């Protein structure tokens, strides 16, 4: 369906805090409700500036993207969120230990994605496809260094580097689609 509504098309509408963006997304969904909860509705906006995309939750049945982002991993990244994937550096369930001891309950909750440094600013790395942060975390009585994947689509590594989902991430997405992970998970 084509929606001709300039109220949601401005790039400035999609900048600001997460709560500002949530409010705009919720307004978009209430104005133009999702077609079905059995599909992922993708709302494409015409401008392609700083805003890339956003899923309406994890997991989710709707996402918004600015056009022109299909040659980059943005679509795969946002679809990953829709299919129950968190950022590799997520701390919403607690920080993941680099030794993997809490990999199923913390971080991105996928055990074959190594713990990712939540403080790392990948885009400022002088070697964009290499982790150069050198940060560590203390867990289980030891100080452990991060050694994250630099090609994972759900990381914040340089866009040119991101091209892979791990087998565990694929299993998690398949589990959602098969009904083994509910939308409230």
């Amino acid at each position: 369906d084509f929606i001709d509504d300039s109220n949601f098309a401005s790039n400035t509408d999609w900048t600001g805090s997460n709560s500002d963006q949530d409010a705009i997304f919720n307004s978009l969904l209430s104005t133009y409700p999702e077609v079905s909860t059995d599909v992922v509705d993708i709302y494409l906006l015409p401008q392609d500036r700083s805003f890339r995309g956003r899923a309406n939750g994890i997991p989710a049945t709707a996402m918004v993207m600015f056009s022109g982002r299909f040659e980059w991993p943005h679509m795969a990244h946002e679809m990953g969120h829709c299919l129950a994937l968190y950022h590799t550096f997520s701390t919403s369930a607690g920080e993941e230990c680099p030794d993997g001891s809490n990999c199923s309950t913390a971080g991105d909750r996928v055990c074959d994605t190594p713990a990712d440094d939540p403080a790392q600013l990948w885009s400022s790395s002088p070697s964009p496809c290499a982790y150069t942060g050198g940060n560590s975390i203390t867990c289980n009585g030891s100080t452990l260094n991060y050694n994250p994947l630099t090609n994972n689509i759900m990381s914040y590594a340089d866009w040119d580097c991101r091209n892979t989902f791990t087998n565990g991430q694929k299993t998690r997405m398949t589990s959602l689609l098969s009904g083994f992970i509910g939308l409230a998970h």
Side-chain angles (χ1 to χ4, degrees):
D1 293 335
F2 179 78
I3 299 171
D4 187 11
D5 188 336
S6 61
N7 291 322
F8 300 106
S10 170
N11 187 53
T12 58
D13 290 342
W14 296 92
T15 58
S17 69
N18 284 339
S19 60
D20 292 340
Q21 291 181 33
D22 287 345
I24 293 166
F25 204 145
N26 291 335
S27 179
L28 174 67
L29 291 178
S30 66
T31 305
Y32 302 101
E34 297 177 71
V35 175
S36 169
T37 57
D38 293 338
V39 299
V40 174
D41 291 313
I42 302 172
Y43 296 84
L44 297 176
L45 303 176
Q47 296 178 9
D48 182 13
R49 295 187 189 152
S50 62
F51 181 81
R52 292 173 177 91
R54 184 176 185 86
N56 193 34
I58 301 173
T61 56
M63 62 187 272
V64 63
M65 297 214 39
F66 274 94
S67 62
R69 291 295 181 175
F70 304 108
E71 295 175 13
W72 296 81
H74 300 105
M75 178 69 94
H77 181 94
E78 298 308 326
M79 187 60 72
H81 287 316
C82 290
L83 298 178
L85 296 182
Y86 294 87
H87 291 129
T88 55
F89 56 86
S90 178
T91 59
S92 63
E95 288 189 53
E96 183 178 353
C97 286
D99 66 6
S101 59
N102 64 346
C103 64
S104 64
T105 59
D108 69 349
R109 302 173 205 158
V110 178
C111 287
D112 68 350
T113 58
D116 196 346
D117 182 357
Q120 173 67 18
L121 296 175
W122 287 94
S123 61
S124 64
S125 172
S127 302
C129 294
Y131 172 69
T132 58
N135 292 330
S136 59
I137 182 176
T138 301
C139 55
N140 300 324
S142 299
T143 300
L144 303 169
N145 293 325
Y146 289 103
N147 188 24
L149 296 173
T150 59
N151 64 345
N152 194 272
I153 290 171
M154 298 309 295
S155 76
Y156 268 12
D158 189 275
W159 289 111
D160 292 333
C161 307
R162 295 196 242 172
N163 59 15
T164 303
F165 288 114
T166 65
N167 287 333
Q169 289 172 319
K170 292 173 189 175
T171 298
R172 187 171 175 84
M173 291 185 285
T174 301
S175 295
L176 176 81
L177 292 170
S178 300
F180 295 116
I181 297 176
L183 285 177
H185 184 69

